[in-house]
Amino acid sequence: MAVTATKAKPTAAPGGKGKGGGGSPNPKKQNTKKQQQQRSQAPKRAPKAAAVDPPLECSKADFAALLGDAAGLANFEEAAVELLDCARYGEVDACRAILDVWSQKHTPNDERNDDDAKSSSADGDAEQDDAEQRPTTMVDAKDASHSTPLHKACANGHASTVQLLLSRGASHAPNDSGNTPLHWAAGAGHAACVRLLLDHYDALSAKGTDDTQNDDTQKPLDVLLKNGFGRSALTEGFASGDTKTVEHLLNHGSAEEERLIGGLDKKEVGEAEAGEVATGGKREGKQEGIVHEFDFLRGVDEGEAERNDEERPSVFIRELPIAHADDPFGQAPIEDTTGLGVWCASLVMAWWLASSSMVDRMKGKSVLELGAGCGIPALTAAVHGRPASVAITDLNPETIENIRHNIGLNGCDTEVVTAASIDWGDESTYPPEKLDFVVCSDCIYQKDIVPLLKRVAAGLLKPNGSFLYVAPDGGRDGLPEFIAAMKADGFECVREEAAPEAYKCNPLSSGDDEDCFLHFGELAGTTYVLYEFRRC
């Protein structure tokens, strides 16, 4: 998802597009350069130190009770599950108690009793294989996707828990999707966790111990290391939109300028890194990317009764690894490949367009999506309603090709639903007929783009046509100016309100909350605003 951009993905998620055309400078590319300049001009920080145990947050009596609870856990596996849950919810003293008791008490192999050892060789081999999949230390306990307590604490921004786990020797290892704890901390914009991770492993390496020289998981972190979707922690940090997070990542030694601009050490994403296409949790074929199945009517629709299954079609969207993931914005708008990922603001827009009121309003109308990326909102409008026409537009050729793929995935009538390239600065690329609805999700990242996007909206809409926009409530340079501009001179603001909580629910048809968090981690924790501007 994601470069969330949430995920200021800013809040950014792999999210903003920066789709301005007409030779306008790419705002996010400029922001990257600003951060590089700030890094070179910033005063030097104090020497980095490895993490130490944080102080107790509870009383000594309460901690004694926690130690008793930890000692009462039945076995290593039960203790591991409890540690993972406590790390996820930031229960730092409960984590401390479990580690105090179980780090010294047992390792998984210690739990095999004499009867187990005397079992048949076949059973013994199977049990040995199972044991080999377990961690050798409690602090590196793993869940089914091989995410560790450090993953859980980083994803949820529990800095004191992260500090404790690092102090106890937690490894910075990737899970099954290639995401490290740093990926998750950066994607969610948890700057304190990002700094703890970077400083801790830098300090360990600086000590030059034999352990750190032989253990890859204890070496300095690489902020440009890609996960299985071709995204680095730096990309995820930009997606989160959190300024401090991006600052920490860019200030790290692994964010060398030569690598940032595609230099000698840059590693291209291959098929093995990008992953295979996954549908319903299963892998199919050897294509790059993943196919998400969305149900934007899983919950109650605007207070009405839940629709029948036959009235709840799925929307299928292929998300691809962002090309050149460590420099996805390119030198010009046409080179911006961030639209290959799914951004959370587009999911909120899709929930909105799937609502009964919007389905009714768009029936028989013409709809166009600007900066569409994967095309989720426009395809949702097409799948759930009966617009007369739906145009899904972007600028980057790879993004347009993926939009066409997604149109085919959903079985849309290609006479009604089309993909097209629009350069915002070139009116000759606009469709010849004016439109009833233009929709756009989180495309403002810099003040310079404000007049251009307003000019595009005005140039595309019929009189009384509606421009629908969704964005986080903050963290976007130029957003206040854009909203102010749209409230004057040719437009009337007829709706401005926070998106309902239902629009931030898990949209996956599977209902898998862990999968939702993995791909759209910032969705639930960000406030999004729905805007509607009517063309006067």
Side-chain angles (χ1 to χ4, degrees):
M1 317 179 302
V3 179
T4 242
T6 166
K7 178 267 321 294
K9 111 216 183 242
T11 309
K17 286 39 169 212
K19 300 294 182 184
S24 302
N26 190 303
K28 290 189 284 183
K29 182 70 176 181
Q30 291 180 342
N31 288 340
T32 304
K33 291 179 179 177
K34 288 180 182 178
Q35 292 289 349
Q36 293 171 358
Q37 293 169 358
Q38 291 170 2
R39 176 179 61 188
S40 63
Q41 297 168 1
K44 292 185 178 180
R45 289 168 45 185
K48 299 172 183 177
V52 297
D53 275 17
L56 275 174
E57 294 184 358
C58 66
S59 68
K60 291 183 178 179
D62 287 341
F63 185 63
L66 289 173
L67 287 171
D69 292 340
L73 295 170
N75 52 40
F76 188 93
E77 284 79 8
E78 184 175 335
V81 170
E82 188 70 14
L83 178 61
L84 286 160
D85 283 343
C86 291
R88 179 179 185 182
Y89 294 107
E91 298 172 2
V92 61
D93 289 332
C95 291
R96 191 195 314 265
I98 294 169
L99 292 170
D100 281 354
V101 172
W102 287 91
S103 293
Q104 302 300 325
K105 188 174 182 179
H106 293 297
T107 65
N109 291 332
D110 291 332
E111 295 185 7
R112 297 186 65 197
N113 58 33
D114 292 338
D115 291 338
D116 292 331
K118 295 176 182 178
S119 61
S120 67
S121 59
D123 290 342
D125 290 343
E127 187 171 346
Q128 182 177 358
D129 290 342
D130 180 63
E132 288 174 353
Q133 296 176 7
R134 306 171 187 163
T136 57
T137 59
M138 176 58 68
V139 73
D140 288 329
K142 295 179 175 64
D143 66 11
S145 65
H146 286 81
S147 296
T148 64
L150 189 58
H151 279 93
K152 308 286 186 177
C154 285
N156 292 284
H158 302 309
S160 60
T161 306
V162 171
Q163 183 179 339
L164 173 73
L165 295 169
L166 292 174
S167 175
R168 300 301 181 92
S171 297
H172 189 263
N175 61 16
D176 287 348
S177 297
N179 282 298
T180 64
L182 183 62
H183 279 95
W184 280 9
H190 297 313
C193 296
V194 168
R195 180 167 180 174
L196 277 167
L197 291 168
L198 296 175
D199 286 1
H200 175 76
Y201 291 109
D202 280 354
L204 288 184
S205 177
K207 290 180 180 179
T209 64
D210 291 339
D211 288 341
T212 58
Q213 290 173 3
N214 297 324
D215 185 354
D216 287 341
T217 65
Q218 303 297 324
K219 291 181 178 180
L221 305 188
D222 183 356
V223 303
L224 302 186
L225 177 70
K226 301 181 181 73
N227 62 15
F229 301 97
R231 296 175 182 169
S232 68
L234 180 58
T235 302
E236 297 287 12
F238 273 113
S240 78
D242 183 76
T243 303
K244 276 293 182 185
T245 296
V246 174
E247 179 183 334
H248 293 326
L249 294 166
L250 281 173
N251 283 338
H252 192 254
S254 63
E256 300 168 354
E257 186 171 355
E258 291 80 7
R259 299 181 70 197
L260 289 171
I261 62 175
L264 297 177
D265 293 331
K266 185 170 181 182
K267 185 172 182 291
E268 296 298 327
V269 181
E271 284 191 2
E273 293 175 294
E276 300 164 332
V277 173
T279 305
K282 298 180 180 179
R283 297 194 178 276
E284 300 178 353
K286 293 186 177 180
Q287 304 174 52
E288 293 184 354
I290 186 170
V291 174
H292 302 288
E293 181 180 358
F294 295 110
D295 178 0
F296 292 108
L297 297 174
R298 290 186 62 232
V300 175
D301 177 32
E302 296 187 344
E304 302 172 4
E306 194 169 350
R307 299 185 192 179
N308 296 326
D309 288 343
E310 59 269 21
E311 298 174 327
R312 294 171 51 192
S314 293
V315 177
F316 295 92
I317 297 294
R318 183 177 71 175
E319 177 181 21
L320 293 173
I322 293 175
H324 315 298
D326 298 313
D327 184 23
F329 316 119
Q331 300 296 324
I334 197 170
E335 297 173 2
D336 187 344
T337 60
T338 58
L340 297 173
V342 171
W343 309 125
C344 289
S346 68
L347 298 175
V348 175
M349 177 68 83
W351 281 102
W352 187 10
L353 300 189
S355 65
S356 294
S357 59
M358 290 308 302
V359 168
D360 291 342
R361 288 181 62 191
M362 288 186 166
K363 185 176 181 180
K365 304 296 184 179
S366 53
V367 179
L368 181 144
E369 183 176 6
L370 287 170
C374 295
I376 300 175
L379 284 167
T380 300
V383 168
H384 284 273
R386 291 183 174 82
S389 65
V390 177
I392 312 176
T393 73
D394 211 290
L395 186 59
N396 177 263
E398 293 173 85
T399 305
I400 295 296
E401 185 58 36
N402 193 48
I403 291 172
R404 292 194 178 100
H405 180 88
N406 287 334
I407 291 172
L409 277 181
N410 289 279
C412 297
D413 183 345
T414 53
E415 295 295 319
V416 175
V417 184
T418 58
S421 177
I422 286 185
D423 183 333
W424 293 3
D426 183 358
E427 294 187 13
S428 69
T429 65
Y430 296 4
E433 303 294 331
K434 301 295 184 182
L435 302 150
D436 297 300
F437 289 93
V438 172
V439 303
C440 186
S441 305
D442 199 14
C443 283
I444 291 290
Y445 277 81
Q446 194 178 45
K447 294 176 185 178
D448 292 353
I449 209 73
V450 169
L452 181 57
L453 182 53
K454 180 175 181 179
R455 186 164 69 246
V456 176
L460 293 173
L461 284 168
K462 298 176 179 178
N464 295 317
S466 288
F467 179 77
L468 308 180
Y469 192 73
V470 169
D473 64 347
R476 299 295 192 274
D477 183 34
L479 180 60
E481 291 79 5
F482 176 66
I483 299 306
M486 291 297 292
K487 291 179 177 179
D489 301 329
F491 283 92
E492 175 190 6
C493 183
V494 297
R495 182 171 185 173
E496 179 178 356
E497 62 187 52
E501 287 299 310
Y503 290 8
K504 300 191 291 180
C505 292
N506 179 359
L508 294 172
S509 295
S510 66
D512 188 327
D513 288 334
E514 292 288 340
D515 201 26
C516 179
F517 179 81
L518 169 65
H519 295 289
F520 319 116
E522 76 286 356
L523 177 62
T526 303
T527 299
Y528 295 90
V529 181
L530 313 181
Y531 300 94
E532 180 175 357
F533 302 97
R534 186 167 296 151
R535 184 82 165 93
C536 297

